[in-house]
Amino acid sequence: MRAWHFSETAYHLLPPAETYDSIRVSLPNKHYDPRIGADLYHRYLDEWLIAEDFGLELMLNEHHQTATCVDPAAPLMLAVLARQTTKARLLILGNPIANRRQPVRVAEEMAMIDVLSRGRLEAGFVRGVPYEIAPANSNPVRMNEREWEALDMILKAWTSHDGPVSFEGRFFHSRQINIWPRPWQEPHPPVWISTTSPGGAARVGARGYVQATFLTGFDGTRRIFDAYRDAWRQAGRGDDVPRDRLAYAALVYTGETEAAAHAGAEKLLWYVTSNKVPPHFAGPPGYLPTDAAVRMLRGAEHPLSAFAKSASVEGAIQAGIMMAGTPDQVLAQIRRMYDHVGGFGHLLLMGQAGFLEHEETVQGIRLFANEVYPALREF
Amino acid sequence: MPTSRTTLSGVDLEVWEGGDGTKLLFLHGAGGFNATHESIPLLARRRHIIAPSHPGFGTSTLPDWLDRPGDIALLYLELLQRLGPAPLDLIGCSLGGWIAAELASLVPERFRRVVLVAPVGVKLGGRDALDVPDIFAMPATTVERLLYHDPDRHRPDLSKLSDAELTEMLRNRETLALLTWEPYMHDPKLKHRLHRIACPTLFLRGESDGLVSAGYLQGYAELLPNSRIVTIPQAGHVPHVEQPAAFADAVLSFLNG
């Protein structure tokens, strides 16, 4: 198994939550101090470099108009890492291509990073969470269709090397596609897709890309990975689904003692508890399939939102969205998840969030890398 | 039941039909067509109403190629062909007003008289302010206040709705988003065609409408050469729902005038 250090580069120094309606989309940026923000950017970049030194791979992502993740242009952050790192794989998860207007531009950005990093790019693509809709002014209806069409266009741009080719889709058009640079890796960088639904995972499995899922817990993750494996087999890719096709993202904090680990893990919960978003940004029309939207109107709740109301470290560990404890405990928790869901090849560690300070973050990375990761590599 | 189905360019549509008199093509707004609204039988006493549910509304299908109100107007050209050569009356509410304005600007000769009820579809103000408030970026309770003069009378009790009714309500809203998201609530080209609608046109608005302002309606009406404005008191964005009698009076006296 490969482990990836992931930080959302949050800006956590906010006024009390009861003074604002939403941490995303509409929270005024007067609350963002660029001087503090600069320090935070440099700190988070340092943490990625430290994680690389400890032998971890690196992951970053992109969100917009939010204090939870001040990385609205992930390729820029990735470009810094491509230059400053030397050996880690670099995963962007991902490019919100249902909300990007020019897929060819995304292909160019990714190709640049692949070359700059001498072939270390893992190119992830996401549909984007619902609160990305308003910042992108993007139509919430037909996002899946846009995402998959954009991906096809990007793959074509990456793999065409004999002069201009054209693409005329339902949503995206270009008559003269001939990107410079072309990607380093052949035929193209590995493709990752994140989805949190079995239906989405089936589509990813049929195409054989790496499927990542975030904080979906024991049973949710099992359903998603099963759907992936079924679709993989039905597509004739063989009975054995390579474990490196599946990735799980969890909040992870390793400490010398259980008490120290839980103290750090408590701070990681900010990632879940700070996500105050009103329904009109969390549920734009058309984002969910209509039947799922009906269930929400009837009172159903997203499992993560339900959890956030009474979030605790113990509860999070029990739900399988967090691994926290001594190295032995963390290893056992990962093993439990691994066995429950039928195995996976990548663990994406949300190892920094909110008020977890630099030293604490590094301590968590170091202990995980030295005391947990060696055994995980054998998984 | 006066509901039937028709296929236009491969799109399967539900059409409600009823009443006696000159044909009146009724283009519903974002909430879909509801024949049980009191205003419908009132209008049906004097007009033969033909009310298609737009693609993606009611039980009408939504083809993957359709995404703007103007596409629906083009679809209805085929419906007009089937309704025969005699000029008919046209009424459109809100989103349906936008479709009606598109349609009437394409084939103005097909219509005797046109009624646009709190229509959207044009951009009149400057680029730094929305003409129509962003209904997708506000709480449902705020939308209600903009929509109704008296929200308490019209708030649906979701627990009393069946799954089928809820599904239809949410699907209507999805289609509304698809059609109006960007450019928001308008087609920048429409206002350059509106002068073609030379027949008498009535612009109707509820006095408490928080979505379509009096100034917006005035500016919209001025783009047509033969328009007049009537305001209905104690009604918001859907005067046909809140004040059915006053609404039907205003519409019929204009159409018969």
Side-chain angles (χ1 to χ4, degrees):
Chain A
M1 187 184 298
R2 271 182 168 169
W4 305 70
H5 172 68
F6 164 39
S7 166
E8 282 223 310
T9 64
Y11 188 93
H12 55 292
L13 305 169
L14 302 174
E18 56 273 17
T19 63
Y20 54 80
D21 295 330
S22 179
I23 195 171
R24 299 180 188 255
V25 186
S26 58
L27 181 62
N29 67 14
K30 67 184 175 194
H31 298 303
Y32 179 87
D33 180 337
R35 280 148 198 87
I36 296 172
D39 290 345
L40 285 171
Y41 275 146
H42 287 283
R43 182 199 140 185
Y44 295 139
L45 283 164
D46 287 343
E47 287 165 7
W48 270 307
L49 298 181
I50 290 166
E52 182 194 38
D53 285 343
F54 281 116
L56 301 186
E57 318 296 347
L58 309 183
M59 173 192 155
L60 51 70
N61 72 344
E62 172 170 322
H63 287 285
H64 296 256
Q65 295 186 189
T66 175
T68 62
C69 174
V70 193
D71 192 357
L76 296 185
M77 197 72 95
L78 197 59
V80 176
L81 289 174
R83 167 69 181 168
Q84 290 207 281
T85 61
T86 56
K87 56 182 184 185
R89 301 292 299 171
L90 304 174
L91 169 61
I92 176 172
L93 193 60
N95 293 284
I97 48 177
N99 295 340
R100 294 283 303 264
R101 306 289 167 124
Q102 286 180 281
V104 174
R105 166 74 189 219
V106 177
E108 289 172 328
E109 291 166 359
M110 293 298 101
M112 256 182 97
I113 286 163
D114 201 33
V115 172
L116 198 56
S117 67
R118 300 184 198 279
R120 289 182 289 124
L121 173 67
E122 305 270 336
F125 299 95
V126 299
R127 175 185 168 199
V129 290
Y131 8 88
E132 300 296 306
I133 298 283
N137 211 61
S138 183
N139 201 311
V141 185
R142 299 182 177 159
M143 284 183 89
N144 278 319
E145 291 87 341
R146 292 203 303 276
E147 179 186 0
W148 286 94
E149 184 176 303
L151 178 59
D152 286 341
M153 193 174 189
I154 289 165
L155 287 164
K156 183 164 186 176
W158 277 346
T159 55
S160 301
H161 306 308
D162 299 315
V165 293
S166 62
F167 185 97
E168 293 184 306
R170 164 71 179 84
F171 304 100
F172 304 108
H173 304 84
S174 191
R175 301 200 298 280
Q176 305 289 337
I177 305 170
N178 179 35
I179 62 168
W180 285 66
R182 63 185 171 99
W184 175 289
Q185 297 175 84
E186 289 288 346
H188 56 75
V191 169
W192 296 51
I193 309 251
S194 74
T195 167
T196 52
S197 75
R203 201 159 178 183
V204 184
R207 306 255 308 233
Y209 304 135
V210 182
Q211 155 72 49
T213 182
F214 286 72
L215 306 180
T216 37
F218 286 103
D219 292 340
T221 307
R222 168 98 215 187
R223 282 194 291 274
I224 290 162
F225 286 179
D226 279 349
Y228 182 97
R229 286 184 284 250
D230 288 347
W232 170 286
R233 292 184 184 116
Q234 275 167 22
R237 298 183 168 276
D239 282 345
D240 290 329
V241 183
R243 280 195 296 273
D244 72 0
R245 299 291 89 187
L246 297 169
Y248 183 60
L251 305 164
V252 180
Y253 195 75
T254 315
E256 297 278 8
T257 64
E258 187 176 5
H262 283 212
E266 193 74 43
K267 296 183 180 178
L268 279 187
L269 283 178
W270 184 87
Y271 181 66
V272 178
T273 56
S274 68
N275 196 29
K276 181 180 183 182
V277 189
H280 49 274
F281 292 136
Y287 184 86
L288 286 177
T290 315
D291 56 334
V294 168
R295 286 197 296 279
M296 300 292 271
L297 261 193
R298 290 264 189 243
E301 207 170 6
H302 191 282
L304 212 51
S305 313
F307 171 78
K309 286 182 182 158
S310 57
S312 69
V313 168
E314 289 74 16
I317 293 171
Q318 224 157 42
I321 66 176
M322 173 179 269
M323 286 97 183
T326 64
D328 286 348
Q329 288 173 323
V330 169
L331 186 60
Q333 290 160 10
I334 297 169
R335 165 64 78 181
R336 187 171 158 226
M337 173 59 76
Y338 182 92
D339 291 341
H340 189 85
V341 303
F344 54 95
H346 303 279
L347 182 65
L348 312 175
L349 297 95
M350 185 75 199
Q352 193 285 322
F355 292 89
L356 198 72
E357 298 297 337
H358 175 69
E359 287 72 23
E360 297 168 311
T361 305
V362 172
Q363 171 83 338
I365 292 170
R366 184 181 63 78
L367 274 172
F368 176 87
N370 290 344
E371 310 289 332
V372 182
Y373 199 15
L376 269 190
R377 286 182 186 276
E378 309 304 317
F379 274 38
Chain B
M1 281 295 291
T3 299
S4 62
R5 305 202 69 89
T6 191
T7 302
L8 304 172
S9 302
V11 187
D12 175 40
L13 298 180
E14 172 185 353
V15 183
W16 186 91
E17 222 170 316
D20 297 307
T22 304
K23 285 174 180 161
L24 170 66
L25 181 59
F26 187 105
L27 302 182
H28 67 75
F33 181 74
N34 188 341
T36 67
H37 283 157
E38 276 176 62
S39 58
I40 300 302
L42 293 175
L43 292 179
R45 286 184 199 164
R46 296 282 180 273
R47 285 292 180 279
H48 178 74
I49 299 172
I50 299 136
S53 285
H54 310 317
F57 289 86
T59 62
S60 295
T61 59
L62 177 66
D64 63 3
W65 53 262
L66 187 150
D67 55 19
R68 294 298 287 169
D71 297 334
I72 298 175
L74 293 175
L75 207 62
Y76 289 161
L77 290 178
E78 198 174 326
L79 180 63
L80 287 180
Q81 278 175 330
R82 292 192 203 167
L83 293 176
L88 57 162
D89 292 330
L90 172 64
I91 183 168
C93 308
S94 185
L95 168 69
W98 178 353
I99 299 168
E102 297 265 9
L103 185 60
S105 74
L106 289 170
V107 284
E109 67 283 0
R110 293 302 318 272
F111 300 105
R112 272 185 76 244
R113 290 189 169 229
V114 174
V115 181
L116 301 177
V117 185
V120 293
V122 294
K123 170 76 182 170
L124 301 168
R127 64 185 184 185
D128 293 321
L130 298 175
D131 286 17
V132 180
D134 188 351
I135 57 167
F136 300 112
M138 60 178 71
T141 47
T142 309
V143 177
E144 276 177 357
R145 283 202 301 277
L146 300 177
L147 202 53
Y148 295 110
H149 174 74
D150 184 359
D152 293 335
R153 270 181 58 212
H154 297 280
R155 184 175 305 115
D157 180 352
L158 299 186
S159 66
K160 292 215 172 91
L161 296 181
S162 69
D163 277 0
E165 287 166 325
L166 266 188
T167 300
E168 185 170 316
M169 191 180 99
L170 288 173
R171 187 167 171 267
N172 289 351
R173 197 168 147 73
E174 282 170 33
T175 308
L176 174 70
L178 173 75
L179 297 173
T180 63
W181 200 268
E182 187 188 79
Y184 180 61
M185 291 289 171
H186 73 282
D187 176 342
K189 298 170 185 171
L190 174 61
K191 67 179 173 190
H192 303 288
R193 299 192 287 263
L194 290 175
H195 66 277
R196 287 166 44 80
I197 307 173
C199 70
T201 302
L202 173 67
F203 282 75
L204 261 186
R205 177 178 172 274
E207 194 172 19
S208 313
D209 190 340
L211 297 174
V212 168
S213 69
Y216 182 85
L217 200 78
Q218 174 78 39
Y220 206 149
E222 283 169 6
L223 294 166
L224 282 69
N226 194 1
S227 62
R228 69 202 73 171
I229 293 176
V230 168
T231 304
I232 297 184
Q234 300 201 310
H237 187 62
V238 282
H240 49 299
V241 176
E242 287 196 287
Q243 298 297 341
F247 171 83
D249 276 354
V251 171
L252 289 174
S253 63
F254 168 74
L255 292 181
N256 294 329

